[in-house]
Amino acid sequence: MNDENTLNALTQALAARFGEEVAIPPGLEGLDQLLQMASQATHRAWAERAVDADLVRLLAACALSAPTKSYLQQADIVDIRDSAVRLAVESLVPSMPWMKTAPALLLFCGNGRRFRRIFERRGKAFTNEHLDGFFNPAVDAALVMMNFIRAASAVGMVCCPISVLRDQAEELATLLAMPEHVFPLAGLCIGWPLQARSISPRLPLEATLHQDRFEERRTDALIDSFDSRYLAVQLSRRPAGSPAAQTWSDEKAKQYESPQRDDWGRFVRRQKFDLR
Ligand SMILES: Cc1cc2nc3c(=O)[nH]c(=O)nc-3n(C[C@H](O)[C@H](O)[C@H](O)COP(=O)(O)O)c2cc1C
């Protein structure tokens, strides 16, 4: 794509995402990368093309080059290749068949174990047993997962994160022999795209990009305007005969009307994190 086309495509992608124009200052380099980020979409259908372990290794190496809190390197990736283990993991989440059909499945984990081991090997007490000791590996793992998604996208691949695996955290930990102070952040299905996916809208930037201080006076109005845009997008995309489209707020209120994963804290404490 030439520069002019990339610029136009980026303008359109951001307009589709945010429902508003996002100015692009002239003379910028790297618009192709911004276009890739702005067009990011989760995929749940896969072309029939295998994903070799070597390719995963390359993408993992790029992903693990992400910044890491205090240089502690508290994120790990499990490439689930053994067919028996893969089947057992998939069967934890029968509600997500795209996990079963994905050419490869990874698990991104926070790992607070190596950090503690450094203290053990020196015979020193670990003095940072509190919530931050759990939060930091979670953040590192999230950055590594996002970096993996970007690396995959750079080579034309697509992904679907699977945090629903955490609904079965204990079973998952047992299956993958997860030691204490290690926890799953999310699975990641990866493969090659079967079809193009449209851009899913996001809240207007006025709701999520703040200037100097938090501004909440217009939150309700901004959610209402997003709801209208979301509903219009759903109606324009739904095949005839689909269940009635809902606003984003209605969908989320319905999705979370009953408690979800309320045993996650128990699992994290079982992994010996102290969440003070
Ligand atoms: C941490 C995280 C966990 C997610 N877990 C799931 C999941 O369990 N199953 C699923 O189908 N999609 C999952 N997703 C994908 C989201 O549903 C998706 O990003 C969201 O609907 C917005 O769509 P988009 O990524 O195409 O813009 C997850 C995304 C993130 C970032």
Side-chain angles (χ1 to χ4, degrees):
M1 228 189 268
N2 66 31
D3 285 358
E4 187 65 25
N5 287 347
T6 310
L7 189 74
N8 289 338
L10 177 58
T11 305
Q12 280 170 26
L14 292 171
R17 187 74 82 188
F18 295 100
E20 62 191 282
E21 194 190 328
V22 180
I24 303 170
L28 281 183
E29 289 184 13
L31 292 187
D32 49 343
Q33 291 187 49
L34 295 189
L35 175 58
Q36 213 165 58
M37 291 173 74
S39 319
Q40 166 67 41
T42 295
H43 283 238
R44 298 183 179 87
W46 321 96
E48 273 192 39
R49 181 170 166 189
V51 176
D52 295 342
D54 276 356
L55 176 55
V56 170
R57 197 160 188 271
L58 167 67
L59 300 178
C62 294
L64 287 158
S65 305
T68 157
K69 167 75 177 75
S70 292
Y71 204 179
L72 289 175
Q73 310 190 62
Q74 297 190 93
D76 290 6
I77 305 171
V78 185
D79 180 10
I80 303 172
R81 296 242 142 215
D82 180 279
S83 53
V85 179
R86 169 86 193 250
L87 192 66
V89 171
E90 282 160 18
S91 50
L92 295 176
V93 187
S95 61
M96 308 224 149
W98 44 93
M99 209 168 104
K100 212 178 179 64
T101 50
L105 176 65
L106 312 178
L107 188 75
F108 287 76
C109 298
N111 184 341
R113 191 169 174 79
R114 282 185 295 262
F115 181 27
R116 283 167 179 75
R117 185 76 190 127
I118 290 173
F119 284 73
E120 269 171 31
R121 293 177 73 191
R122 280 158 183 74
K124 287 172 89 173
F126 186 71
T127 42
N128 276 285
E129 201 60 78
H130 46 66
L131 183 58
D132 209 41
F134 171 72
F135 192 72
N136 290 332
V139 171
D140 268 18
L143 293 177
V144 167
M145 184 171 83
M146 187 61 236
N147 232 21
F148 194 101
I149 294 171
R150 283 208 65 201
S153 162
V155 297
M157 295 172 74
V158 289
C159 306
C160 179
I162 304 281
S163 59
V164 170
L165 270 172
R166 282 197 275 122
D167 289 358
Q168 313 289 337
E170 287 193 21
E171 292 81 348
L172 187 63
T174 305
L175 276 172
L176 301 182
M178 215 172 272
E180 285 175 1
H181 295 119
V182 176
F183 61 92
L185 178 88
L188 191 71
C189 305
I190 59 173
W192 308 89
L194 185 65
Q195 65 227 349
R197 292 236 44 215
S198 8
I199 286 174
S200 68
R202 293 286 188 274
L203 289 162
L205 286 173
E206 191 186 340
T208 49
L209 174 63
H210 303 271
Q211 195 80 51
D212 299 322
R213 56 176 61 83
F214 265 81
E215 174 54 79
E216 290 201 303
R217 274 171 298 184
R218 282 187 24 84
T219 298
D220 289 353
L222 292 168
I223 291 179
D224 289 346
S225 85
F226 179 67
D227 274 342
S228 307
R229 190 164 71 86
Y230 180 84
L231 191 59
V233 169
Q234 297 308 310
L235 290 170
S236 70
R237 287 182 188 164
R238 293 218 163 186
S242 313
Q246 288 183 310
T247 66
W248 175 75
S249 304
D250 284 341
E251 260 184 30
K252 296 304 137 193
K254 175 101 194 113
Q255 185 181 350
Y256 282 89
E257 71 188 358
S258 50
Q260 283 191 21
R261 210 174 290 145
D262 54 1
D263 57 352
W264 174 244
R266 186 166 51 98
F267 169 78
V268 170
R269 283 184 283 273
R270 196 198 80 157
Q271 291 301 87
K272 297 280 188 278
F273 284 99
D274 183 340
L275 304 178
R276 262 173 301 153

